[in-house]
């Protein structure tokens, strides 16, 4: 059989890590992000940092991290700081860094500003829908 014809970027070209401890939200995010990327999940801060570290070691870093701020085990700000630190150690900077999109119930402006100061790329307040995800990924250059 002939190989399938592909046009443009395929979802598998982009690797995404979804860090979310709520089962239902996690599955909704995988479903929405799956239109644009191959998805892996982590349910805690330690698990997310280990997955990110492994992706760098394997030479297949994530291009996108969807990150909840309030995790049962750890905090999203620790994950964000860890990601940026690992990238710096690996010599990854500027536009080559993974895009980190915070998706959280927290909407006070101090928290939102703090995540941008900590080098998040976008912030969405839950619940999010497909159109919001598409718009933000397009803005970040990750979706058509």
């Amino acid at each position: 059989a002939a190989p399938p014809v592909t046009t443009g970027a395929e979802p598998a070209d982009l690797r995404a890590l979804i860090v979310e401890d709520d089962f239902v939200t996690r599955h909704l995010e995988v479903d929405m992000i799956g239109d644009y990327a191959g998805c892996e999940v982590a349910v805690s801060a330690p698990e997310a940092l280990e997955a990110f570290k492994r992706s760098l070691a394997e030479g297949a870093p994530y291009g996108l991290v969807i990150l909840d701020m309030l995790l049962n085990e750890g905090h999203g700000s620790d994950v964000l700081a860890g990601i940026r630190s690992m990238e710096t150690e690996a010599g990854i900077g500027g536009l080559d860094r993974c895009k980190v999109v915070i998706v959280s119930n927290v909407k006070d402006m101090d928290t939102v500003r703090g995540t941008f100061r900590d080098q998040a790329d976008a912030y969405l307040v839950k619940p999010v829908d497909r159109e919001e995800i598409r718009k933000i990924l397009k803005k970040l250059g990750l979706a058509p």
Side-chain angles (χ1 to χ4, degrees):
V5 175
T6 58
T7 57
E10 291 298 307
D13 292 346
L14 177 63
R15 293 185 68 217
L17 176 64
I18 295 175
V19 185
E20 173 61 62
D21 56 5
D22 179 73
F23 180 84
V24 172
T25 304
R26 184 170 59 245
H27 284 274
L28 288 171
E29 289 174 353
V30 166
D31 184 53
M32 288 187 276
I33 301 298
D35 291 344
Y36 307 98
C39 296
E40 295 177 25
V41 299
V43 298
S44 69
E47 191 178 335
L49 291 169
E50 184 57 38
F52 196 85
K53 182 179 179 180
R54 187 177 57 248
S55 78
L56 289 175
E58 292 172 353
Y62 295 108
L64 173 65
V65 174
I66 302 296
L67 178 59
D68 186 16
M69 289 304 286
L70 303 177
L71 301 165
N72 288 333
E73 221 182 303
H75 196 274
S77 60
D78 298 329
V79 175
L80 178 56
I83 285 170
R84 294 307 186 212
S85 175
M86 283 186 254
E87 287 176 327
T88 299
E89 286 176 28
I92 300 168
L95 296 176
D96 294 331
R97 296 181 325 171
C98 83
K99 304 295 185 229
V100 178
V101 178
I102 306 296
V103 178
S104 182
N105 289 319
V106 180
K107 53 186 166 197
D108 73 90
M109 286 312 294
D110 287 341
T111 300
V112 175
R113 275 193 291 274
T115 62
F116 285 107
R117 204 171 28 253
D118 294 339
Q119 302 175 43
D121 296 288
Y123 196 106
L124 295 174
V125 177
K126 292 178 185 177
V128 298
D129 61 33
R130 281 187 191 282
E131 186 57 21
E132 282 180 289
I133 291 288
R134 188 193 65 73
K135 282 181 185 174
I136 208 73
L137 294 182
K138 183 174 182 172
K139 188 175 180 181
L140 295 173
L142 301 176

